[in-house]
Amino acid sequence: AAPSSLDLELPRGYAVGDAVIMKCDFNHDNGSVVAGDRGEVIGPSPTEPTTRVLCKFPSPSWLSAPLKLPVRIFDLEYELPGGFRVGDTVINKGNFNGESGSVADGDRGEVIGRSTIEPKTRVLCKFPKHSRLRVPPSELELELPGEFRVGDIVFYKGDLKNKHGSVADGDRGEVIGPSWNERKTKVLCKFPNFSSLHAAPSSLDLELPGGFCVGDTVTCKMDFKDERGSVSAGDRGEVIGRSTTGWKARVLCKFP
């Protein structure tokens, strides 16, 4: 076969062009990278080729060329299409029914790897009623720690000030994405005086539709009844969280 028709097989299934994330800090004679840095696989490692791959990372300001580092495969993780990573909790957008299972709009699932079909445009997920579904990133929403989502409006609890900015108790901000280096435990937020704050979910209160917050006491303005119970106009209740359906326009409440 012509060389141009072959793909080089690298350790652990990596391929040239794969986007990767550093899982730890790494120092080398050629330079250094830190946990969370994004890079790209560019070929086999010149040293320890069975356990490392050669990656390039953006160069620091004092270098004109990208850093090329032989990185251990266990110090890397894939960045999948849409910026997803293995282990991410995702929320499905839309409905799917097939021979292998079904997924409904709003179902929670988990990213389990790269898709074996269309790997550049899909990710492999598992859901309660579908164990292996190849999904385009546009049909998934990332659920962040604390069940936050990108675009959520939040209030900060406490005061914080450092060289990057400041945030005061009660400041109103927005969730803008996953934390760069503490993806499993923090969310990335922006506040008026702090443009990129990695915040623990426990330090944030979610502002729900209508400006409501968890714990608010509310009074129902109408009669309502379904198979789960009934509420009458004037009944007092409590806001307990985000609605599982129509979450951009509803809040979840409990009543006596």
Side-chain angles (χ1 to χ4, degrees), residues 5-254:
S5 67
L6 301 174
D7 283 329
L8 181 65
E9 185 173 348
L10 299 173
R12 206 185 174 192
Y14 281 105
V16 172
D18 280 347
V20 290
I21 312 287
M22 284 298 302
K23 295 165 64 176
C24 62
D25 298 346
F26 176 58
N27 295 301
H28 187 267
D29 292 342
N30 294 347
S32 61
V33 288
V34 298
D37 278 357
R38 286 176 166 82
E40 180 186 342
V41 177
I42 58 174
S45 171
T47 59
E48 303 177 52
T50 60
T51 58
R52 294 176 183 262
V53 290
L54 188 64
C55 301
K56 70 176 180 181
F57 294 88
S59 63
S61 57
W62 48 271
L63 274 180
S64 58
L67 291 176
K68 296 182 179 181
L69 305 175
V71 185
R72 292 194 315 165
I73 54 176
F74 298 108
D75 293 336
L76 296 169
E77 64 176 316
Y78 291 112
E79 183 171 63
L80 300 168
F84 290 104
R85 303 186 195 178
V86 172
D88 280 346
T89 298
V90 290
I91 299 165
N92 187 61
K93 297 188 288 186
N95 296 287
F96 174 83
N97 286 285
E99 293 180 359
S100 301
S102 62
V103 183
D105 185 66
D107 279 358
R108 280 180 171 81
E110 181 185 348
V111 177
I112 58 174
R114 81 164 83 207
S115 174
T116 53
I117 300 172
E118 301 179 53
K120 300 294 185 184
T121 58
R122 293 176 180 263
V123 295
L124 187 63
C125 301
K126 68 176 181 181
F127 292 91
K129 295 182 179 180
H130 203 306
S131 61
R132 295 179 67 84
L133 182 63
R134 303 170 185 89
V135 191
S138 60
E139 296 179 11
L140 297 171
E141 182 176 0
L142 177 65
E143 185 174 76
L144 302 169
E147 298 186 358
F148 287 104
R149 302 182 186 182
V150 172
D152 279 345
I153 302 301
V154 292
F155 295 99
Y156 194 74
K157 297 188 290 185
D159 298 283
L160 175 68
K161 185 175 182 179
N162 60 31
K163 63 181 180 180
H164 302 295
S166 63
V167 59
D169 188 65
D171 276 359
R172 192 169 182 262
E174 180 184 350
V175 176
I176 58 175
S179 172
W180 305 329
N181 49 15
E182 298 180 79
R183 191 180 180 93
K184 298 293 186 183
T185 58
K186 293 189 176 184
V187 297
L188 187 63
C189 302
K190 67 176 181 181
F191 290 90
N193 297 314
F194 209 127
S195 61
S196 297
L197 174 63
H198 300 263
S202 60
S203 68
L204 302 172
D205 276 332
L206 175 66
E207 182 181 80
L208 297 165
F212 291 104
C213 290
V214 173
D216 284 347
T217 299
V218 292
T219 303
C220 192
K221 298 165 65 176
M222 54 177 270
D223 296 336
F224 176 81
K225 184 177 182 179
D226 68 8
E227 67 277 3
R228 293 167 293 183
S230 61
V231 183
S232 299
D235 282 356
R236 290 165 62 86
E238 180 185 348
V239 177
I240 58 173
R242 190 198 304 268
S243 175
T244 53
T245 59
W247 63 273
K248 291 187 177 181
R250 295 174 177 265
V251 296
L252 187 63
C253 301
K254 68 176 182 180

